[in-house]
Amino acid sequence: MNPHCPFCSATVTPRSRFCPTCGQALSQSPPRFSASSPIASGDPPIEGALTNAKRLQVRGNALDLRDLINVVESSVQWWQRGLSSGDAVTRDQAARAIDELSQIMRSLSQQLAQGRTTICITRRLPALRTFDVACPSCGSGNRAHARFCQRCGALLNAAPRYGVGSVRSRALKFRIAARTDTGRVRQQNQDAVYAGEIDLPGRQKAYLCLVADGMGGAAAGEYASRLAADVSRTYLERESVSHPPLTDEAWQNLLRDAVRAANRQIYDTARVDATRRGMGTTLTIALLVGDRLHIASVGDSRAYLLNLNGVTDDGALSAQLTSDHSLVARLVDIGQLTPEQARTHPQRNILYRSIGTDPSVDVDTRSEALEPGDIVLLCSDGLVNHVNDEEIVQIAFDEPDPDRAVTRMVNLANERGGRDNISVVMVRVEGGRNEEREHG
Ligand code: CA
């Protein structure tokens, strides 16, 4: 539940420093970190209620693969009834659901054939903070009803109003660090990371960060992740300076095209080169342009947004911006598991979407407003295998230097076993000119 202003009793968000209704400064104690208790192996199993009255056992964070295949099968049967509906929308929805479930079934069967018996659970994405009005003084986003800026207390109603997609571009500064590590178990690092500037027209710069996590064994996975990084980066560098997008939608289209170019090249290479057959990779890209963040993602490499003032309307300090394209994430989406049953966790997910394994690929994209104090973090599953979201938040805000922060995260994953390659890219977003005025 949201807190109330002690002066006028209006509802305020946990991230507000000033009351948006009366403009009074709100005294705030800094948010506390809660150390999350690890899931004990002795936890009682949770049972998920299924539409067909079958029961699915969730023990700790693991699901039995054969149970899941049964669930997917019965889900397909359930959706098949929708195919004979008189309503075209229902038929279309059913057809798309069956298509997704078929991809999942194929992936599950392959995993089972390879000797795997259980998988881990992920969760649905949260709703992020919404900004309707930009403060004329500090540029921070505010809700539509606000009279005073929740960040600096300035009067808002004298200011021209900006739409959600056109919050005034602020001078933000970015401090970036990237690190990838082989871990303690594997012989090779099949992850690839990149962080750097790309040119826009008129000497403007954007900042590109990416993580790719290759698969396919030996040389193939390493090659796939490098190729995904190189092809998408080159594509974005070329197009951003020659045909710079002007809207969020256009940036997302550009990102999607860049990811598809990488997909095509890896797929074609895998077809003609027997040593690289079946290779694939995840690819998660963050592009920071002005005060906008554009994300594209395929697979289970994650992007997070972190801020001590909260990144969601209910004040969560971190939010995952990407879906894990894993079986269990999809079961949550289609209502076969509730988000409460689906606990985030460590260990490799079964992917049903990746780069290079099919001639075409669906790419998730989104755009968000950036605020001073934000941290954008990309990582491969080798980090989240061992380090939970609360710990990521804690290290990110304990350690102001991004190089040291990413090193601490990698070191922690290694101390806990380093079972997989570990990659982290971090961007600290700092206020530029407008932010300085707030303090001066
Ligand atoms: Ca991995």
Side-chain angles (χ1 to χ4, degrees):
M1 211 169 90
N2 280 333
H4 290 87
C5 171
F7 303 98
C8 74
S9 300
T11 306
V12 298
T13 64
R15 60 192 292 276
S16 300
R17 292 181 188 173
F18 292 87
C19 173
T21 305
C22 73
Q24 291 282 350
L26 304 169
S27 62
Q28 278 186 320
S29 49
R32 291 189 174 280
F33 300 112
S34 62
S36 78
S37 52
I39 298 162
S41 55
D43 276 359
I46 304 163
E47 285 191 332
L50 306 177
T51 47
N52 62 357
K54 280 188 185 172
R55 308 293 286 178
L56 181 64
Q57 281 214 334
V58 184
R59 192 176 291 279
N61 52 16
L63 289 175
D64 184 273
L65 256 180
R66 287 175 197 281
D67 281 356
L68 283 173
I69 287 181
N70 286 336
V71 170
V72 174
E73 264 174 2
S74 57
S75 300
V76 170
Q77 284 164 16
W78 188 84
W79 280 107
Q80 274 169 345
R81 286 182 290 168
L83 292 175
S84 47
S85 163
D87 171 24
V89 175
T90 305
R91 289 198 304 274
D92 184 52
Q93 195 180 22
R96 276 186 286 121
I98 291 169
D99 181 49
E100 293 227 302
L101 288 164
S102 305
Q103 291 182 47
I104 290 168
M105 181 65 90
R106 190 180 59 190
S107 170
L108 276 182
S109 311
Q110 285 167 358
Q111 297 286 325
L112 203 58
Q114 287 162 16
R116 181 164 197 154
T117 56
T118 58
I119 70 161
C120 288
I121 302 170
T122 181
R123 65 167 177 202
R124 191 189 279 275
L125 299 181
L128 286 199
R129 61 197 176 189
T130 50
F131 299 137
D132 304 311
V133 182
C135 171
S137 176
C138 76
S140 288
N142 286 273
R143 306 301 295 269
H145 61 76
R147 290 185 58 220
F148 296 92
C149 175
Q150 50 82 27
R151 184 174 177 84
C152 74
L155 188 65
L156 294 175
N157 59 4
R161 299 202 156 209
Y162 298 89
V164 175
S166 61
V167 169
R168 189 181 57 165
S169 186
R170 283 158 284 170
L172 295 175
K173 290 188 292 192
F174 304 116
R175 291 165 63 208
I176 304 180
R179 193 178 162 104
T180 183
D181 190 272
T182 305
R184 293 272 166 87
V185 173
R186 307 225 166 161
Q187 300 300 311
Q188 288 178 309
N189 191 347
Q190 300 191 11
D191 285 0
V193 297
Y194 176 81
E197 292 182 352
I198 63 174
D199 292 330
L200 303 177
R203 292 195 293 175
Q204 301 282 309
K205 301 277 186 197
Y207 296 85
L208 170 65
C209 305
L210 65 83
V211 169
D213 176 353
M215 59 197 108
E222 194 176 341
Y223 183 80
S225 61
R226 294 243 173 103
L227 199 56
D230 289 346
V231 172
S232 57
R233 175 177 58 81
T234 308
Y235 192 99
L236 289 168
E237 283 173 348
R238 187 182 68 229
E239 293 297 316
S240 297
V241 73
S242 61
H243 303 94
L246 298 173
T247 62
D248 285 350
E249 191 187 0
W251 278 110
Q252 290 178 33
N253 287 338
L254 175 59
L255 281 171
R256 210 174 280 125
D257 290 345
V259 173
R260 285 184 174 147
N263 182 70
R264 189 78 229 179
Q265 195 154 334
I266 294 167
Y267 179 78
D268 287 346
T269 306
R271 276 209 314 175
V272 297
D273 183 344
T275 64
R276 292 178 171 144
R277 189 159 297 152
M279 70 176 169
T281 182
T282 71
L283 180 58
T284 293
I285 303 178
L287 199 57
L288 296 89
V289 187
D291 61 359
R292 304 296 291 172
L293 167 67
H294 309 290
I295 299 276
S297 176
V298 174
D300 67 348
S301 295
R302 293 180 178 177
Y304 289 92
L305 187 64
L306 288 62
N307 192 311
L308 276 180
N309 289 324
V311 294
T312 62
D313 283 342
D314 58 3
L317 305 189
S318 74
Q320 188 180 330
L321 302 178
T322 49
S323 287
D324 299 336
H325 294 138
S326 59
L327 170 75
V328 176
R330 196 52 50 184
L331 289 178
V332 171
D333 289 347
I334 63 175
Q336 293 290 341
L337 289 174
T338 68
E340 293 72 32
Q341 292 160 340
R343 301 198 211 173
T344 306
H345 197 274
Q347 282 182 28
R348 187 135 183 97
N349 289 324
I350 292 178
L351 301 186
Y352 64 90
R353 229 198 269 176
S354 53
I355 301 283
T357 45
D358 288 289
S360 66
V361 67
D362 288 336
V363 184
D364 287 354
T365 59
R366 67 189 290 170
S367 298
E368 300 293 341
L370 288 169
E371 291 278 293
D374 281 347
I375 291 176
V376 180
L377 187 124
L378 308 187
C379 63
S380 64
D381 65 337
L383 180 73
V384 293
N385 279 351
H386 298 293
V387 183
N388 66 33
D389 288 7
E390 288 81 3
E391 292 166 330
I392 288 173
V393 168
Q394 184 150 18
I395 295 170
F397 291 112
D398 265 6
E399 183 53 80
D401 179 67
D403 279 311
R404 284 205 290 268
V406 299
T407 300
R408 273 181 60 182
M409 290 179 194
V410 169
N411 289 349
L412 184 59
N414 273 326
E415 281 162 24
R416 292 177 178 173
R419 288 193 301 269
D420 197 356
N421 308 140
I422 307 152
S423 298
V424 191
V425 182
M426 177 189 277
V427 185
R428 295 188 72 95
V429 180
E430 295 175 353
R433 187 168 30 84
N434 290 319
E435 176 74 357
E436 280 152 17
R437 202 196 306 167
E438 178 191 336
H439 300 295

